Amino acid sequence: MTISQPAAAPRLTRADGTPLRILVVDDEASLTDLLSMALRYEGWDVKSANGGQEALATAREWKPDAMVLDVMMPDLDGLQVLGRLRQNNDDTPVLFLTAKDSVEDRVTGLTAGGDDYVTKPFSLEEVVARLRGLIRRSQISISEAGDSRIVVGDLVLDEESYEVSRAGRPIELTATEFELLRFLMRNPRRVLSKAQILDRVWSYDFGGKSSVVEIYISYLRKKIDAGETPMIHTVRGVGYVIKPTS
């Protein structure tokens, strides 16, 4: 598991401006500590539980806005915890953590009522990004920063409207190109390796060949840098970086 800290993104809060409540459930104390640290960095209120029974008790009393839930636990497993939550009409968004990596296991978790699925080993950055995504989809939060734009030089990306422009010129991107550009722009002047990009942009939906990163970087360059001073740069043997032209 990589523990590099994600770049700051617009902070998500409850509608009343108070911090989101996230419950982290795993029987490995070292893992809950790492996850809690990363989620607190987002400005969220975090509690942890080391088993299914404790998770249910904490959820009942604390009313979290989202849960990070391990599947394999010694008392009640994650699927049993989720089943009991849903039986009680608790629709808290759930991000499953598991060491299993088969399609069958993913389907089981998602059809049981889970909202997303991350397999171990994973990066903290991926967990944070996926948790932010399911929180946004659940519409329980607002952005503390009213501006949903990411700006690097004269390049502007709007996370809400999915619009991109450079120097006022609209740029049409596919969904994957948009996610790749967003990851680059959230980390300006930071060199990102192919492995980091694969992990964040493609995750478990892709087999993992690094050549796909090269292909999509070339697509972005044709759209972002065509006729302009290049913003996307290759650092040979390391990865890619985006930075303003001046």
Side-chain angles (χ1 to χ4, degrees):
M1 179 192 322
T2 56
I3 60 174
S4 60
Q5 198 57 261
R11 181 165 294 176
L12 299 178
T13 69
R14 286 179 156 187
D16 61 3
T18 57
L20 288 167
R21 294 180 176 183
I22 311 297
L23 176 59
V24 178
V25 186
D26 197 295
D27 59 337
E28 296 181 42
S30 59
L31 184 56
T32 57
D33 288 345
L34 282 172
L35 286 169
S36 297
M37 174 190 67
L39 300 181
R40 289 190 180 104
Y41 183 83
E42 293 292 307
W44 300 336
D45 194 359
V46 182
K47 284 191 176 183
S48 62
N50 61 14
Q53 296 287 4
E54 184 182 353
L56 288 171
T58 304
R60 185 166 52 248
E61 297 171 7
W62 193 50
K63 306 296 184 186
D65 297 302
M67 294 177 63
V68 180
L69 181 60
D70 187 34
V71 171
M72 301 299 293
M73 291 184 292
D75 53 356
L76 291 177
D77 66 33
L79 295 176
Q80 291 173 308
V81 172
L82 181 63
R84 296 193 184 186
L85 289 173
R86 298 298 186 250
Q87 285 175 4
N88 293 326
N89 298 315
D90 185 333
D91 59 357
T92 303
V94 170
L95 175 68
F96 274 126
L97 302 178
T98 182
K100 298 180 178 179
D101 194 24
S102 73
V103 172
E104 181 181 352
D105 292 322
R106 296 176 199 163
V107 171
T108 300
L110 296 177
T111 55
D115 297 273
D116 205 347
Y117 202 104
V118 175
T119 55
K120 301 176 183 178
F122 49 77
S123 70
L124 294 179
E125 187 171 74
E126 179 187 4
V127 173
V128 170
R130 289 190 174 278
L131 196 54
R132 286 176 64 90
L134 70 88
I135 287 170
R136 283 184 180 276
R137 292 195 297 274
S138 70
Q139 298 183 332
I140 60 174
S141 65
I142 61 172
S143 176
E144 183 179 80
D147 192 348
S148 60
R149 302 178 306 159
I150 305 174
V151 180
V152 177
D154 59 357
L155 184 62
V156 180
L157 179 149
D158 192 312
E159 295 186 290
E160 298 293 341
S161 67
Y162 278 72
E163 295 176 331
V164 177
S165 65
R166 181 168 183 189
R169 171 178 61 89
I171 299 170
E172 295 291 331
L173 299 178
T174 66
T176 302
E177 290 167 351
F178 183 90
E179 288 301 322
L180 174 55
L181 181 62
R182 172 158 57 181
F183 186 43
L184 291 171
M185 291 181 68
R186 278 185 174 176
N187 297 273
R189 301 181 185 278
R190 177 184 171 193
V191 179
L192 301 170
S193 69
K194 291 180 182 178
Q196 287 175 308
I197 293 171
L198 278 171
D199 181 52
R200 171 62 184 87
V201 178
W202 280 270
S203 189
Y204 58 66
D205 296 323
F206 183 76
K209 293 182 180 178
S210 62
S211 59
V212 75
V213 178
E214 299 170 13
I215 293 169
Y216 274 85
I217 286 288
S218 70
Y219 291 163
L220 275 187
R221 281 181 167 142
K222 290 175 182 177
K223 295 182 177 183
I224 301 299
D225 290 340
E228 306 276 358
T229 304
M231 295 183 68
I232 301 173
H233 303 271
T234 300
V235 179
R236 294 194 178 281
V238 183
Y240 302 96
V241 61
I242 193 167
K243 51 189 176 182
T245 57
S246 59

